[in-house]
Amino acid sequence: MPKRVDHQQRRREIADALLRVVGVQGLHGMSLREVAAEAGVSLRLVQYYFPSKEQLLLFTAAYLTRRLSEQVTSRVAAAGPAPPPRTVIEATLAALLPTDPDTRRFHLAHAAFAVLAMTDSTIAAQAVLAGPDAREEILVEALRTVLRPPADPRAEAAGLLALSAGLATSVLGGARSVDEALGELPHHLDRLLPARAPVQVAGW
């Protein structure tokens, strides 16, 4: 009996290979042949699933966004059942930082796609830049329970996301260590939520 092929899984494996290539050399000059070699499959097979480079980029952009969102969900879940709002906020922001080789690869790829989206309207229309919206909603929901008027939870969430993005860039560029970036988060939250004692995520 012939082995059944999970086509969606095969697409994800090829997308993972593209992310590994991008994590080393960026999107500039990336070829389908390089992706095929990284995935350990033939160029013909890559072209079977993705007839054009654009189709591979679009699929991978959406896949990357889902993976980044899963990192946030996993980090929050690791904080335990029904974590307090501040823990949710800290875990969400920490998940947006490149803290290990895998997350560094994802963040480098996300940055590369974000730059491409600035000049490619097709890529810009995809979900690669929509991830922060979902993470913003997590922050807004948590902030609503701890902020008092006239504080604006959505404005504060946008500011925290900008802070996290800036810290991520500084880590990728070598200006800060991961520990230094993580240490910035409680500092800023202490100023935003002065009446709340800092709550650390387990393992930090």
Side-chain angles (χ1 to χ4, degrees):
M1 183 176 180
K3 182 179 180 181
R4 178 174 295 180
V5 178
D6 185 335
H7 295 292
Q8 195 64 8
Q9 176 61 27
R10 183 62 61 83
R11 290 186 179 91
R12 290 192 291 266
E13 290 170 356
I14 294 172
D16 272 324
L18 184 149
L19 292 176
R20 290 194 295 273
V21 171
V22 171
V24 174
Q25 67 181 46
L27 281 169
H28 180 70
M30 180 274 301
S31 70
L32 293 182
R33 190 175 301 279
E34 288 175 309
V35 174
E38 178 65 31
V41 300
S42 68
L43 175 60
R44 185 184 297 272
L45 186 64
V46 172
Q47 292 173 325
Y48 170 78
Y49 286 107
F50 303 102
S52 71
K53 184 176 179 179
E54 180 181 81
Q55 288 178 330
L56 174 57
L57 289 175
L58 292 177
F59 178 89
T60 305
Y63 174 68
L64 174 61
T65 298
R66 290 196 301 273
R67 291 295 301 272
L68 289 171
S69 295
E70 288 168 1
Q71 287 179 8
V72 173
T73 302
S74 176
R75 191 79 184 232
V76 173
R86 172 153 177 162
T87 300
V88 171
I89 295 168
E90 289 192 344
T92 300
L93 296 175
L96 302 178
L97 297 176
T99 55
D100 56 51
D102 283 340
T103 55
R104 181 180 178 84
R105 173 166 56 89
F106 281 126
H107 282 279
L108 284 170
H110 186 271
F113 272 104
V115 170
L116 180 62
M118 295 177 188
T119 57
D120 189 315
S121 59
T122 303
I123 295 295
Q126 301 307 305
V128 66
L129 297 181
D133 293 340
R135 297 189 283 274
E136 181 176 309
E137 292 307 316
I138 294 175
L139 293 176
V140 169
E141 182 177 350
L143 287 168
R144 279 178 178 153
T145 67
V146 293
L147 291 181
R148 299 182 179 88
D152 183 340
R154 189 163 298 280
E156 296 296 351
L160 289 173
L161 286 173
L163 166 67
S164 185
L167 290 174
T169 299
S170 70
V171 171
L172 292 175
R176 282 185 176 83
S177 69
V178 171
D179 287 342
E180 287 172 336
L182 288 173
E184 291 284 346
L185 300 181
H187 172 73
H188 286 276
L189 289 179
D190 285 346
R191 293 197 299 176
L192 179 62
L193 311 171
R196 302 273 171 166
V199 178
Q200 297 292 328
V201 177
W204 285 18

